Amino acid sequence: MVFIKLTVRIIWILVFCHGILIEAYSNSDPNSGKTLVVSGKVSSVEGESVPYANIMILGTVKGTYTNPDGTFQIYDLAEGDYTIKVSAIGYKSFSKSVKITNGQISELDLAFEETGVEMPQFTVIADKDRIFSKVPGSVTYIDKNELRNLSPISGNEAIRRSPGVHVVDEEGIGMRVNIGIRGLDPDRSRSVMMMEDGVPIALAPYGEPEMYYTPAIDRMSGVEILKGSGQILYGPQTIGGVVNYITANPPQKEEGLVKIQGGDGGFFAGMVSYGNTFGNTGISVNLLKKRADQVGYVGFDITDFNTKLLFDINSKSSLGVKLGVYNEMSDATYIGLSQTMYDAGGQDFVRMAPDDILDVKRYSLSFSHKYQFSPKVRLNTIAYGYTTTRNWNRQDFSRNTTSNTPPSNWTGVTWGDVNVPNGAIFMRNSTGNRDRQFEVAGVEPRLEIDHNLFSKNNELIIGTRYLYEKAYEQRVNGTKVGVSSGNLVEDEVRTGQAFSAYAQNKLNISERFLLSAGVRLENFDYDRQINRRSFPGIGIRDTLLVANNSITEVIPGVGFNYKPTQLFSLFGGAHRGFAPPRVKDAISNLGEPYELEAEKSWNYELGFRTDIKNWIFLEFTGFMMNFSNQIISISESSGGQGTGLVNGGATTHRGVEGAIVMELSKLFGLQRNKIVYDFNTAIIDAEFSEDRFLGDVNISGNRTPYSPGFFFNSAITFESQSGFGARLLGNYVASQFTDEINSVLPIPNGETGQIDSYFLLDAMVNYNVSKWNSTFNLTVKNLTDERYMVSRRPQGIRLGLPRMVTAGFEFRF
């Protein structure tokens, strides 16, 4: 209650400041003294105003959004002929010619002729107006323009542009996304519902929700991030938030793109895409090739092919088909630097296990169908299936002890300092092959109904989902380095069936106040069948151990959005956080169900968004997550031994997050240049909130592992009418603890100890040649060549990417 009261007070202070800002700038309007040359209104085919439509003057940096009533104004254009492009979510873009003569104001009435044909897919944020006035919760939408400005080499760079989201670059280049939202452990993004075009993408969304496959940001047109109560529509994970990657839909007319990026370490990324609509059929095809000899810790080779088909069957029905093929071969490894190696320096990115190979293959197919019974009743259905193979060949090693005796199968290679117990690594002439294959299939129909309960406008969403998943896991121990065959020591099959049902109703109590309430039911039945394993005191034996368990949970949620003015939105909500335990952790190696409860929390948030004078945008959110029992995995990827759980008990996550975006060029009346400054940040206190002893240490009040208390991401972006653009981006992450007792001093093997804070700068420049439909770019990541630690796991210290220079070219047709 103290936190909620404090948050309310802060919000009202900021609301008051918001009023002062409006008053101040109403008396110093950035448009004062400027000449109005074009004004007008944008409407739909039915004659309704279209707010927040994007108005661009092609060939210039001039542009604006329509006001809430659909009107717009453009100032200070020289005499001449111009082309105006108008676009908005859910409509086909169109262009209009306008002539500026003798300072006369051109009045334009612009109307979309028809609605654009969209893929019938699920999206997290239905209405992407500038203040998300119909979304009862905290959200971020990273659009295509932002992705182009970033020139990212991984999706991590884009996702950390959202306030409250901490992203860890595990192997330097961020091939596997590790997202922690509001203080949650980022390891493998286990506490986040990860999707692409509304379809789950984790290995097994319930039993093993881990991101060994991450969609390539190169082919995305946007990313949606939702952290509020609305995420109950997208389970099973409803704790941290929802991240939905969005791919481009088939365009209405022929479009194509060729993009090439190259850089240090033999890095290369090449992408070709083509799209068109032929009659009632749209097609989009994308082929991506990425490789590197060594960037950070890894070299890799990735081929990623995707295609979308859209069939506009009739005026009421459309069908979408999406096919994906992904193939990755990388020399990723779990082994990291010992503390002695880190302190000595000079071996930051040495390949300690050069024969380690990770092979990831993924094949996916989905169908999406939309049927409109009437303008007020719509049925969206998604059916999908995918299979992921994740085979990982990793060399064995052991650490030195006080006796300093190498293992019997030592290769003769040693890393670190043998004079420090546990400070050296003996590489062994044997291999552990961890072979896993996952199969997932699901179907989800969702009915949307506009109705008039209580004589008010309502939108009701009702849906169900059936999901089947199966995991095959084997461990094969090879007797030499790098071999993929050997002795089968573990063999098991894990199966799960999940049924979900949900309902959410949005009630427009008035034009200014939206109330949303919903509930989700999750039922997950799972079993673990162990066919071969090593038994204590007996050894490896074939067996048939089968155990099963079931979890059922009701997940309620409520939220609101209050818009006292057209430029200010106050939102808040509360919902139940839920995440099922991994099947291999919930059932022991002896086939005994632990009957673990699902991870549960109560999540609260209260915040606002505001758009002042169309040049400054503010967002601020206070939040709290109360866990009755936070389950902390000790899988190998999180630095553990690969089995079991750490029962974290009660924990509390509370904090504030915010963002500001200022279009300074509008403020200062710049005519030929566009300058935007943005800043997003989070202050988070995530701690164990009840007595719990580890040895003689009571960890109550300690911070949870891998939860930085403060971080921010900020950028200043410049764009000129001549085509030149530049950006300077900074990212700061405060210090973190890596264990529950909050050890500050590191141990010799480097796996625990404090991680120091770090600050990074990235620089980008680009030049757009309109007549060639081309853009050239140059990017420098980690401009100052900062040496910084991002993690002490899985098995030692991992450093962030050193300075990396890339150059690229993009051609559009």
Side-chain angles (χ1 to χ4, degrees):
M1 286 302 297
V2 174
F3 168 75
I4 297 297
K5 290 179 180 178
L6 178 62
T7 301
V8 171
R9 290 178 183 175
I10 293 173
I11 287 176
W12 280 115
I13 290 172
L14 289 170
V15 171
F16 176 72
C17 294
H18 164 256
I20 293 176
L21 280 170
I22 290 180
E23 181 65 24
Y25 286 104
S26 64
N27 296 324
S28 58
D29 191 334
N31 290 325
S32 61
K34 298 165 70 174
T35 303
L36 177 65
V37 292
V38 180
S39 65
K41 184 174 182 179
V42 178
S43 305
S44 68
V45 65
E46 294 84 8
E48 298 178 350
S49 300
V50 178
Y52 301 100
N54 189 22
I55 311 292
M56 289 296 300
I57 308 296
L58 299 183
T60 76
V61 296
K62 295 289 185 179
T64 188
Y65 292 98
T66 57
N67 300 315
D69 61 357
T71 61
F72 68 93
Q73 300 81 34
I74 296 174
Y75 297 84
D76 291 341
L77 277 175
E79 292 190 3
D81 297 321
Y82 297 93
T83 300
I84 295 180
K85 184 176 181 180
V86 186
S87 59
I89 298 295
Y91 296 93
K92 290 182 180 179
S93 301
F94 68 93
S95 299
K96 177 80 172 180
S97 298
V98 60
K99 187 178 183 67
I100 307 300
T101 308
N102 299 326
Q104 295 179 353
I105 300 175
S106 296
E107 295 282 352
L108 300 176
D109 285 325
L110 305 174
F112 290 99
E113 296 181 358
E114 55 185 317
T115 302
V117 178
E118 297 286 338
M119 287 285 288
Q121 62 198 27
F122 293 171
T123 58
V124 173
I125 307 166
D127 300 292
K128 302 180 183 72
D129 65 60
R130 201 164 155 85
I131 61 171
F132 302 106
S133 58
K134 295 183 180 180
V135 181
S138 54
V139 298
T140 302
Y141 178 59
I142 302 165
D143 63 17
K144 188 174 183 178
N145 289 333
E146 174 63 16
L147 294 179
R148 181 178 290 116
N149 286 334
L150 279 173
S151 298
I153 58 175
S154 83
N156 293 0
E157 299 169 63
I159 293 172
R160 62 170 55 101
R161 299 283 286 157
S162 176
V165 180
H166 173 50
V167 189
V168 175
D169 293 329
E170 174 186 331
E171 22 21 18
I173 201 169
M175 292 170 61
R176 264 151 284 285
V177 68
N178 293 275
I179 300 173
I181 295 179
R182 294 177 172 175
L184 294 171
D185 191 332
D187 183 54
R188 292 288 179 262
S189 307
R190 289 188 180 94
S191 297
V192 182
M193 184 62 199
M194 303 293 296
M195 302 189 300
E196 181 179 318
D197 292 333
V199 174
I201 53 176
L203 293 179
Y206 285 80
E208 203 152 344
E210 295 160 352
M211 293 298 293
Y212 284 94
Y213 157 78
T214 299
I217 198 66
D218 310 65
R219 58 184 178 84
M220 298 302 155
S221 62
V223 182
E224 302 174 307
I225 302 172
L226 174 67
K227 291 165 282 183
S229 62
Q231 63 182 288
I232 66 171
L233 292 176
Y234 306 98
Q237 288 78 23
T238 63
I239 292 177
V242 179
V243 174
N244 186 35
Y245 295 87
I246 302 173
T247 60
N249 287 328
Q252 297 299 313
K253 57 183 180 180
E254 186 177 47
E255 292 181 7
L257 179 141
V258 178
K259 185 176 181 180
I260 296 174
Q261 195 86 4
D264 294 336
F267 174 78
F268 170 82
M271 186 176 72
V272 178
S273 63
Y274 175 82
N276 203 350
T277 295
F278 305 93
N280 293 330
T281 302
I283 183 172
S284 177
V285 181
N286 183 287
L287 177 63
L288 171 67
K289 183 72 173 180
K290 298 182 75 169
R291 69 165 307 278
D293 298 323
Q294 183 176 357
V295 177
Y297 292 97
V298 298
F300 57 88
D301 192 297
I302 296 173
T303 303
D304 191 358
F305 173 80
N306 283 267
T307 186
K308 273 185 172 183
L309 294 170
L310 173 60
F311 302 96
D312 190 12
I313 299 172
N314 53 48
S315 60
K316 291 187 175 183
S317 180
S318 59
L319 173 67
V321 181
K322 182 181 176 183
L323 172 68
V325 178
Y326 177 88
N327 187 8
E328 171 195 335
M329 188 72 72
S330 64
D331 50 19
T333 183
Y334 270 178
I335 188 172
L337 302 178
S338 67
Q339 189 66 41
T340 57
M341 295 176 68
Y342 176 77
D343 292 340
Q347 295 179 311
D348 285 355
F349 299 99
V350 66
R351 288 182 170 174
M352 300 168 64
D355 295 300
D356 285 8
I357 294 293
L358 173 62
D359 183 6
V360 179
K361 291 182 173 61
R362 187 177 190 271
Y363 305 96
S364 61
L365 178 65
S366 64
F367 298 88
S368 53
H369 182 262
K370 181 176 182 178
Y371 186 82
Q372 183 169 302
F373 293 96
S374 71
K376 293 187 176 182
V377 181
R378 302 165 297 277
L379 176 64
N380 291 287
T381 304
I382 289 184
Y384 51 86
Y386 59 89
T387 177
T388 309
T389 300
R390 195 227 73 169
N391 293 340
W392 206 334
N393 179 309
R394 300 205 298 266
Q395 184 178 357
D396 295 328
F397 66 92
S398 60
R399 302 190 185 276
N400 66 319
T401 62
T402 53
S403 65
N404 241 341
T405 303
S408 59
N409 61 344
W410 181 38
T411 63
V413 176
T414 303
W415 301 100
D417 188 347
V418 295
N419 296 313
V420 178
N422 212 24
I425 300 169
F426 296 118
M427 304 306 298
R428 297 163 55 190
N429 192 25
S430 58
T431 298
N433 296 282
R434 298 151 178 90
D435 298 339
R436 301 178 189 176
Q437 183 176 347
F438 299 84
E439 299 172 353
V440 177
V443 60
E444 181 172 357
R446 176 180 294 186
L447 189 64
E448 301 174 357
I449 304 172
D450 298 332
H451 61 97
N452 298 105
L453 182 67
F454 307 124
S455 300
K456 303 290 185 180
N457 292 330
N458 288 254
E459 181 186 27
L460 175 64
I461 298 176
I462 303 173
T464 62
R465 181 179 66 199
Y466 172 77
L467 187 142
Y468 172 84
E469 59 183 36
K470 197 165 191 175
Y472 303 87
E473 180 169 341
Q474 292 184 331
R475 179 177 174 122
V476 177
N477 287 344
T479 57
K480 291 186 178 181
V481 170
V483 299
S484 57
S485 61
N487 302 318
L488 177 65
V489 296
E490 294 178 9
D491 184 14
E492 66 176 79
V493 180
R494 300 185 294 274
T495 306
Q497 297 187 67
F499 174 79
S500 309
Y502 54 86
Q504 183 186 70
N505 189 74
K506 291 182 179 180
L507 169 63
N508 292 277
I509 295 177
S510 68
E511 291 184 359
R512 301 181 183 275
F513 193 86
L514 172 70
L515 179 64
S516 173
V519 64
R520 183 181 189 90
L521 171 70
E522 284 285 358
N523 174 259
F524 181 43
D525 293 312
Y526 55 92
D527 63 66
R528 183 179 183 186
Q529 177 181 315
I530 301 173
N531 300 322
R532 185 175 177 86
R533 69 174 300 273
S534 178
F535 293 88
I538 300 176
I540 299 170
R541 292 290 186 273
D542 290 330
T543 184
L544 185 58
L545 295 174
V546 180
N548 54 64
N549 204 353
S550 178
I551 291 177
T552 300
E553 184 70 22
V554 177
I555 308 166
V558 62
F560 74 91
N561 194 306
Y562 175 58
K563 191 167 62 171
T565 73
Q566 293 289 352
L567 299 177
F568 184 86
S569 176
L570 181 69
F571 60 85
H575 75 278
R576 185 65 153 162
F578 167 86
R582 299 195 313 168
V583 172
K584 65 187 301 183
D585 294 326
I587 298 175
S588 76
N589 287 337
L590 297 177
E592 300 172 350
Y594 291 128
E595 297 184 356
L596 293 169
E597 291 188 4
E599 190 169 22
K600 299 176 185 177
S601 65
W602 282 107
N603 298 3
Y604 310 92
E605 69 173 11
L606 186 62
F608 75 86
R609 291 180 287 265
T610 182
D611 190 6
I612 305 172
K613 289 295 179 181
N614 209 25
W615 68 270
I616 180 170
F617 171 83
L618 293 172
E619 177 182 344
F620 173 90
T621 308
F623 61 85
M624 175 182 283
M625 296 188 293
N626 279 330
F627 285 88
S628 57
N629 180 36
Q630 185 176 99
I631 297 174
I632 300 175
S633 174
I634 56 170
S635 64
E636 287 188 76
S637 67
S638 58
Q641 299 304 311
T643 60
L645 300 170
V646 171
N647 188 337
T651 64
T652 301
H653 297 235
R654 51 179 168 253
V656 292
E657 61 190 31
I660 181 171
V661 181
M662 295 187 291
E663 194 164 340
L664 300 177
S665 50
K666 286 188 177 181
L667 173 63
F668 298 117
L670 303 181
Q671 298 182 28
R672 302 181 62 83
N673 300 308
K674 183 177 181 179
I675 303 175
V676 178
Y677 172 74
D678 66 76
F679 181 89
N680 79 73
T681 187
I683 302 172
I684 301 170
D685 181 16
E687 63 180 24
F688 297 98
S689 54
E690 67 178 15
D691 289 342
R692 177 167 163 253
F693 288 86
L694 295 178
D696 296 330
V697 179
N698 186 354
I699 67 171
S700 178
N702 284 10
R703 292 190 62 85
T704 57
Y706 288 93
S707 173
F710 173 62
F711 52 90
F712 70 79
N713 188 280
S714 182
I716 185 163
T717 306
F718 172 81
E719 182 181 347
S720 73
Q721 190 166 308
S722 64
F724 174 78
R727 167 177 282 192
L728 185 65
L729 186 147
N731 188 60
Y732 173 82
V733 178
S735 61
Q736 307 164 58
F737 294 113
T738 58
D739 60 7
E740 296 160 285
I741 63 174
N742 289 183
S743 302
V744 175
L745 296 177
I747 61 176
N749 66 17
E751 291 184 6
T752 61
Q754 183 171 285
I755 295 177
D756 292 334
S757 63
Y758 57 87
F759 177 71
L760 307 176
L761 281 174
D762 295 343
M764 306 92 171
V765 294
N766 60 74
Y767 184 68
N768 182 57
V769 185
S770 299
K771 63 180 180 180
W772 294 350
N773 294 325
S774 301
T775 301
F776 300 85
N777 68 75
L778 177 68
T779 301
V780 184
K781 309 294 183 183
N782 192 1
L783 184 66
T784 61
D785 202 19
E786 176 86 359
R787 184 182 188 236
Y788 64 104
M789 191 185 304
V790 295
S791 179
R792 290 182 175 272
R793 61 188 185 190
Q795 294 165 339
I797 295 170
R798 317 285 288 201
L799 300 183
L801 197 68
R803 182 190 294 124
M804 180 178 179
V805 180
T806 67
F809 165 77
E810 178 181 302
F811 172 68
R812 302 170 297 276
F813 61 91

